[in-house]
Amino acid sequence: MPDLFLRSYKILRVLKIIGLWISGISLFLMMLFIAGDVFSRNILAKSIPGGYELVGKYFMPLTVFPGLAFAYGTGIFPRITMLVTKFSMFKQRMIVITLLIFEGIFFFLITYYGLLYAIESVNQGLAFPAGGHIYPLYPLIFLVPIFFGIIIIEIVFLIIKNIISDEVSLSIYEESGVLID
C-alpha cells in the first residue's frame, strides 16, 4: 500500500476510534442512568422524571451512530463475497467494487438527506418534553450525517484498496487481523 494511503487512513481511523469511545461512554452512562432509575423506583418509590425519553432520545443515538463507522470498517458485516468465492479474482474484485459503489451511493443519500433534515431541525428548534422540561433534539440529529459521512470515506478507502491491491478485501485491516500502522 502507498504510504500516503496509509497515513490518510490513520486520520480516519482516529475519527472512528473517537466515535467508538463516544459510543462506549454513552453505553456506560445509559447503563448507570437506567440502573439509577430502577434503584430510584424500587427504593425511593419514584422514577427519574423523563428517564424513558432521555434514554431513547439522547443515550441510544449516542450509543449507536458514533460506533457505526468503526463496525463497518472492520468488515464484520455479512457481504456478498462469501457467495462469489468460486469466481475468478477479477470478477470478485468487480463485484466488490460495484457493491461498494452502491453502498456509497446509498450512504451518500442518507448523509445528504440527514444533513438537510438536521439543518431544518435547527431552524425549527426541534425539541422534546421529558419530565416537565424541554430538551433540544436537533444537536443529536447531526450524528447521522456526520457518522454516515465517515462511512462514505471508509468506502472510498475500500474502493481504492481493492483497485490497487492484488486481493479482494472488505477491510483496510490486514488479513491477519493486525492493524495497518
Side-chain angles (χ1 to χ4, degrees):
M1 292 288 147
D3 192 42
L4 177 62
F5 180 82
L6 297 177
R7 282 187 307 200
S8 301
Y9 188 73
K10 281 184 182 181
I11 296 168
L12 179 65
R13 195 172 80 188
V14 167
L15 291 174
K16 292 187 322 181
I17 289 173
I18 290 170
L20 188 64
W21 273 95
I22 292 170
S23 288
I25 291 169
S26 176
L27 182 63
F28 180 73
L29 291 175
M30 181 170 57
M31 179 193 68
L32 289 178
F33 186 84
I34 292 171
D37 188 42
V38 169
F39 176 81
S40 175
R41 268 187 279 143
N42 290 323
I43 303 300
L44 306 175
K46 68 189 258 190
S47 182
I48 297 174
Y52 179 79
E53 289 84 6
L54 291 172
V55 167
K57 306 280 188 193
Y58 279 160
F59 288 118
M60 286 188 181
L62 281 170
T63 299
V64 172
F65 290 114
L68 256 171
F70 184 85
Y72 184 88
T74 61
I76 62 170
F77 295 131
R79 304 283 178 113
I80 192 76
T81 52
M82 296 176 196
L83 303 174
V84 297
T85 55
K86 302 263 189 234
F87 292 153
S88 69
M89 189 58 69
F90 177 76
K91 287 182 182 177
Q92 286 183 33
R93 181 176 286 121
M94 288 300 107
I95 290 170
V96 168
I97 290 172
T98 303
L99 288 174
L100 287 171
I101 289 170
F102 280 123
E103 286 178 0
I105 292 169
F106 177 70
F107 289 138
F108 173 77
L109 291 173
I110 292 174
T111 303
Y112 177 73
Y113 288 109
L115 184 61
L116 291 180
Y117 180 69
I119 291 169
E120 184 62 28
S121 68
V122 168
N123 292 336
Q124 292 179 0
L126 192 61
F128 67 96
H133 299 287
I134 301 294
Y135 295 95
L137 184 60
Y138 55 85
L140 293 175
I141 294 175
F142 279 97
L143 292 176
V144 173
I146 289 170
F147 288 102
F148 275 98
I150 292 174
I151 292 174
I152 292 170
I153 296 168
E154 178 81 24
I155 289 172
V156 169
F157 273 102
L158 287 172
I159 290 171
I160 293 169
K161 181 179 180 186
N162 280 294
I163 289 172
I164 64 175
S165 177
D166 293 335
E167 294 192 13
V168 175
S169 178
L170 292 169
S171 174
I172 304 297
Y173 296 110
E174 293 293 332
E175 296 305 319
S176 64
V178 178
L179 289 174
I180 296 174
D181 286 321

